[in-house]
Amino acid sequence: MTTPLPLFRLDGRVALVTGGSRGIGRAISETLAAAGAEVFVNYARGEAAAKETCEAIRAAGGKAEAVCFDVADTKATEAAIDAIAKQKGRLDIAVSNAGISIDQLLIRLKDDDLEKLFAVNLRGALAVARASIKPMMRARFGRIVFVSSVVGEMGNPGQTAYAATKAALLGVTKSIAKEYASRQVTVNAITPGYIETDMTAGLPEAAKKAMLEGTPLGRPGTPADVAAAVLYLASEQAGFVTGQTLRVNGGMYV
């Protein structure tokens, strides 16, 4: 009889969470740390929030360190991830969560806004994965998780460009999963639905009501709901899961 592994424990693992200081990213950082991982909390501009997240993790008995780089800067991203891998001698988990949203009808969409969305949401995610794969290949173990969006699967008026970046991540997930499965690196995506965060708090009440009405479970999700899914995909128990999209959307899209 096979001895079961401790459920969803990450003791001894080193993790990076981009955009890890606020909202969904903070919940992911805190959840991975609570499971035993040492977490590098990435931020681009919100230094105070990143430090606060790390302090909260340490206060709870976990290990965390803030690391500053903008995923849109591919060279800075790769240099920072290389430094983490050298410092710790490994990088086991990379959660590509950093992202931005610029909502606009297609006819009004500016080229600059399109470039910003692709630079962060897609090119930045690819840079994180490309740099993270190197130490994972050497260790013959790795977990890469992309945080996409339900909008990338179902579309949404006024979010054509955003949907394009998030839909692209699903194809990226499948392709990288096939490229590195032989090295025991798993690659998966999560597509959150309507999640209560600072970003969604600023939406018009009519938009919130419409999203809630389109969610069969009848409530918005929480950052903790998304973080729990990330924890599973980062764990030993998900070692036979790769190239998949895990929908955390309350039934909004099935």
Side-chain angles (χ1 to χ4, degrees):
M1 179 177 177
T2 303
T3 303
L5 295 167
L7 196 60
F8 306 150
R9 291 298 304 174
L10 302 176
D11 301 287
R13 300 297 187 193
V14 175
L16 166 69
V17 181
T18 66
S21 64
R22 298 174 55 218
I24 290 173
R26 175 168 179 164
I28 293 170
S29 296
E30 292 179 340
T31 298
L32 298 185
E38 181 174 357
V39 181
F40 283 82
V41 178
N42 159 254
Y43 68 98
R45 282 165 288 278
E47 181 179 9
K51 287 185 175 180
E52 181 183 338
T53 299
C54 290
E55 288 169 3
I57 288 172
R58 295 188 197 110
K63 296 180 180 179
E65 182 177 332
V67 56
C68 179
F69 63 87
D70 186 343
V71 298
D73 185 337
T74 56
K75 290 185 178 179
T77 298
E78 292 180 4
I81 293 174
D82 286 347
I84 292 171
K86 288 178 181 177
Q87 176 188 341
K88 307 308 300 184
R90 62 194 302 157
L91 177 61
D92 305 291
I93 301 159
V95 182
S96 181
N97 169 72
I100 61 172
S101 176
I102 302 174
D103 298 344
Q104 191 58 269
L105 294 173
L106 179 61
I107 198 170
R108 297 174 182 169
L109 186 66
K110 297 177 181 179
D111 285 347
D112 286 348
D113 291 338
L114 187 62
E115 290 297 327
K116 289 176 184 176
L117 281 163
F118 273 86
V120 176
N121 295 0
L122 183 55
R123 194 174 72 228
L126 286 169
V128 170
R130 183 170 58 194
S132 300
I133 281 169
K134 296 173 185 177
M136 291 178 182
M137 287 176 62
R138 290 193 294 269
R140 299 189 69 82
F141 177 92
R143 299 282 190 267
I144 296 175
V145 181
F146 293 108
V147 179
S148 178
S149 169
V150 68
V151 174
E153 297 185 288
M154 63 183 285
N156 199 40
Q159 291 191 302
T160 297
Y162 177 77
T165 63
K166 293 301 187 177
L169 286 179
L170 305 185
V172 165
T173 296
K174 296 174 187 295
S175 298
I176 301 178
K178 290 183 176 181
E179 287 183 7
Y180 296 98
S182 64
R183 299 300 184 96
Q184 304 306 305
V185 177
T186 68
V187 186
N188 294 286
I190 289 177
T191 50
Y194 174 27
I195 307 297
E196 286 188 322
T197 64
D198 292 343
M199 185 181 295
T200 58
L203 292 173
E205 289 303 317
K208 294 179 186 178
K209 181 180 178 182
M211 287 191 292
L212 197 58
E213 289 175 347
T215 304
L217 281 181
R219 69 167 177 88
T222 67
D225 291 323
V226 181
V230 173
L231 174 60
Y232 165 66
L233 291 174
S235 72
E236 293 280 358
Q237 282 77 18
F240 202 56
V241 178
T242 195
Q244 304 303 307
T245 298
L246 179 52
R247 295 167 177 159
V248 185
N249 63 29
M252 179 183 286
Y253 180 83
V254 297

